[in-house]
Amino acid sequence: PDAWDDDWETQADKAAEEQPVEPVKEEVKITKAERLAKHAETNKKIWESAETPETFHFLAARDNVPLKQEFKPALKVLSRKPAPTVVQRVDPLTGVAKLTLDDEDEEDGPKANQLTPEELRLRAQREREEKQKRYDEARARILGTGS
């Protein structure tokens, strides 16, 4: 049809008349068993089509696959320091458990600041006396010399 013709309405009607009218399909009533069988068959076809690998005709026509590589990188062994082990130690003076890291590669040997229970008691007593002395001085300054 020529789009520049003035009588475009008749040409559109002619094109509509030329198309064959398809007969309306009547749905046939089927039983529940037939419907389930048809559904099972359709599912079976879908699963078979999904499970069969699709052949790539472009790659099948060519012998050399473009993504196939024979390169294998050199094997490199990576290592780390082993994770430190957490050790729970009980302080003999206070009886409180302390979590510490136990590193084997420490070259310090036994720690220098580990004191015996007797030394700890003496140090605590000394600190207590110093704190009491400072408290008394501050109290005397604030309240006056009454105590």
Side-chain angles (χ1 to χ4, degrees):
D2 190 9
W4 295 106
D5 283 343
D6 292 332
D7 198 13
W8 59 271
E9 292 174 338
T10 57
Q11 289 181 3
D13 291 339
K14 241 191 264 182
E17 290 172 3
E18 290 173 5
Q19 294 176 352
V21 177
E22 295 179 14
V24 178
K25 249 188 189 178
E26 257 187 56
E27 281 193 29
V28 180
K29 298 280 184 178
I30 56 174
T31 64
K32 185 176 182 179
E34 289 174 340
R35 192 175 69 242
L36 289 174
K38 187 176 178 183
H39 180 70
E41 183 67 28
T42 307
N43 272 349
K44 187 176 178 184
K45 285 179 184 177
I46 289 172
W47 277 104
E48 285 175 358
S49 68
E51 288 174 349
T52 55
E54 184 180 337
T55 58
F56 296 106
H57 300 291
F58 172 75
L59 295 178
R62 300 175 61 190
D63 283 341
N64 56 348
V65 179
L67 299 177
K68 186 177 180 183
Q69 295 180 354
E70 298 299 323
F71 173 74
K72 292 183 181 176
L75 184 65
K76 184 176 182 182
V77 178
L78 302 174
S79 65
R80 295 183 179 190
K81 290 174 77 176
T85 57
V86 177
V87 178
Q88 183 175 6
R89 295 191 177 128
V90 178
D91 190 12
L93 180 64
T94 59
V96 177
K98 294 181 183 178
L99 293 177
T100 58
L101 295 177
D102 186 28
D103 291 333
E104 291 87 20
D105 49 345
E106 285 185 10
E107 289 128 15
D108 298 342
K111 293 185 179 177
N113 62 356
Q114 287 287 2
L115 301 174
T116 64
E118 220 174 283
E119 293 172 339
L120 286 172
R121 260 185 253 118
L122 288 173
R123 190 174 79 183
Q125 185 179 2
R126 211 174 323 120
E127 289 174 356
R128 206 174 303 117
E129 289 171 357
E130 289 174 8
K131 285 182 183 177
Q132 184 65 38
K133 181 180 171 188
R134 280 184 291 185
Y135 172 77
D136 289 339
E137 290 173 357
R139 182 179 170 102
R141 249 184 303 132
I142 295 170
L143 302 174
T145 57
S147 103

